[in-house]
Amino acid sequence: MTLKKLTASTPASGVPFYTPAQTPPAGTVLPSTDGTTQAIPTLFTPITLRDLTLQNRITVSPMCTYSADDGHLTDWHLVHLGAFAQRGASLTIVEATAVTPNGRISPEDSGLWQDSQIAPLKRIADYIHSQGQKIGIQLAHAGRKASTLGPWHAVPGKSEVAGEDVGGWPGNLWGPSAVEWNEGYPTPKEMTVGEIEGLVESFVEAAKRAVKAGVDVIEIHGAHGYLISEFLSPITNQRTDDYGGSFTNRTRLLTNTIRAIRAVIPSGMPLFVRISATEWMEHSNQPSWDLEQSKQLALLLPDLGVDLLDVSSGGNNPAQQIRPHTYYQIDLADAIRQAVKAAGKTLAIGAVGMISTAEVARNVVQEGGASENGTAGKANTDGTVVVEKEDGSRAKADLVLVARQFLREPEFVLKTATLLGVPVQGPIQYHRAPLKRERL
């Protein structure tokens, strides 16, 4: 981590409080001090999506923290999310945020179904902007997986359902069909067409509130077995109307939501969609949502106004069979990216999952440097990584979205830059404590 000297303390503009301007923002590559040039990995090159430019490709993935107050974000979220932006994350995405009260995963989840929830979000957006960084929000409805206990409230081996005595709503779960998540869980109500159409409007109103709060990116949550994901899957969607059966019908809720949100947000604001590329139920000998359908969906998204597809997997069925390895989800992103490119479409792809080292983060997005088997960028014995170009290789995604590693290391961006030997700006107030390779 390298720190740029400032001749004067210039206040950050556009925020309702004083803080020094971070010019350039932390995580920005700095010019060489000796006049030489060096290879900068793609990970630390800018990317532009509509009117938004990110100075690096490392972003904070949405992470549920079960700490909101009736859907309102609190000082916990300000410190939690602000720490990542302060230390160089180019985009920090707020956790899954429910568009209706019954769309929360737990009673302590974030929400944006009423105007009083705008101000707490704006406070966080203002702070992240004061650091020269960008903020996104993931809009969601938990469907049949709603009204569950926060993880530290649940008792292993017992029901995770949040009852009315703890603020839950087990009698008011929604789903495409009356199929419960698992044995012992409430059976959701099959939504009427009117409720589906009303839900789309709830997404729209939440998106308008997010714009008022000053967010830079909106992401639609269509993954992990939550409501939109439930509609995509023929296992959980057993409807026989216009929202069930065929691929077109099962994707209708998502595509209608995309169109409706795109119509009310600024034209220069990027729109992301997160999906589970497969629900890992291929072994079940029944139709399920899989990679081929995800590719088919991806080809529709550019024309609908989506700018990035955030590729995750699983979460829709407790019987899923996953064989995890470092690249098990990154490879799904790669397959979709190649299908989009082969079709001549333009759609950025985000990769998630087990991105916990500088080497892996670099490999995922490296143009001309990420090998087919994910081994580009040789690791030295001291933990640093050699940046090198490998002929015939390709990037697997355009952005990396990192979650748990940021919880372990809020300075993940700065540490990654140091290990890769990339000089980047750090927060100016931390100038006394630059990271050094030999100490990592």
Side-chain angles (χ1 to χ4, degrees), residues 220-350:
I220 299 169
H221 198 350
H224 301 163
Y226 299 122
L227 187 59
I228 290 176
S229 179
E230 294 164 20
F231 269 86
L232 297 178
S233 167
I235 295 178
T236 46
N237 184 347
Q238 300 175 5
R239 303 176 71 95
T240 57
D241 61 6
D242 288 346
Y243 291 91
S246 68
F247 171 87
T248 298
N249 286 355
R250 285 183 284 112
T251 59
R252 192 179 305 279
L253 171 58
L254 175 56
T255 55
N256 284 354
T257 302
I258 293 169
R259 290 188 186 95
I261 290 179
R262 184 75 267 174
V264 299
I265 64 175
S267 60
M269 176 180 285
L271 180 61
F272 292 7
V273 171
R274 171 169 279 194
I275 64 167
S276 287
T278 174
E279 54 184 323
W280 299 111
M281 289 294 292
E282 291 84 353
H283 64 281
S284 67
N285 295 319
Q286 60 180 319
S288 64
W289 184 263
D290 57 18
L291 180 58
E292 291 308 309
Q293 290 172 88
S294 292
K295 292 177 183 177
Q296 187 178 352
L297 174 63
L299 298 183
L300 301 177
L301 298 182
D303 293 337
L304 294 173
V306 174
D307 302 286
L308 181 139
L309 180 62
D310 179 356
V311 181
S312 189
S313 71
N316 194 46
N317 200 301
Q320 65 185 17
Q321 290 186 5
I322 304 174
R323 295 179 180 176
H325 57 85
T326 301
Y327 285 83
Y328 84 101
Q329 294 191 118
I330 296 167
D331 287 342
L332 297 171
D334 180 30
I336 294 173
R337 188 172 190 262
Q338 294 309 309
V340 170
K341 290 178 67 175
K345 300 281 188 175
T346 300
L347 179 68
I349 300 295

Side-chain angles (χ1 to χ4, degrees), residues 418 432-440:
T418 302
R432 293 186 180 93
L435 298 182
K436 297 183 180 180
R437 294 176 72 163
E438 63 271 17
R439 296 180 182 175
L440 295 176

